[in-house]
Amino acid sequence: MSNIDIIKIKEWLSSVADTYEENKDYLTQLDSDIGDADHGINMNRGFKLVKDMINIKLVKDMIN
């Protein structure tokens, strides 16, 4: 995989994380109608971790 592909994937994952964060309450509300009302919370938590890991890796790459 070329570097540009990796960069685009990181940008996409970061954008997805932002979208989940912006819509976590809405997703949780949708889930409350049919489930246990945790979908938005859990998706946001998971993708926040992905975004954090990408940022940690970027900082480490800049230092080295």
Side-chain angles (χ1 to χ4, degrees):
M1 187 177 296
S2 71
N3 285 338
I4 191 70
D5 292 338
I6 292 169
I7 291 168
K8 288 295 181 191
I9 290 169
K10 289 178 180 180
E11 289 173 355
W12 177 80
L13 288 170
S14 182
S15 177
V16 169
D18 292 343
T19 300
Y20 275 120
E21 184 174 3
E22 292 166 9
N23 292 287
K24 68 182 176 215
D25 293 334
Y26 175 66
L27 293 168
T28 297
Q29 177 60 44
L30 289 174
D31 188 37
S32 72
D33 294 340
I34 60 170
D36 55 3
D38 67 348
H39 184 72
I41 295 165
N42 289 329
M43 292 301 290
N44 181 55
R45 184 183 321 159
F47 272 91
K48 182 181 182 316
L49 181 60
V50 169
K51 188 174 179 180
D52 290 346
M53 296 303 292
I54 289 169
N55 289 334
I56 289 169
K57 174 77 170 119
L58 289 174
V59 169
K60 285 182 179 178
D61 288 349
M62 286 189 292
I63 293 171
N64 294 328

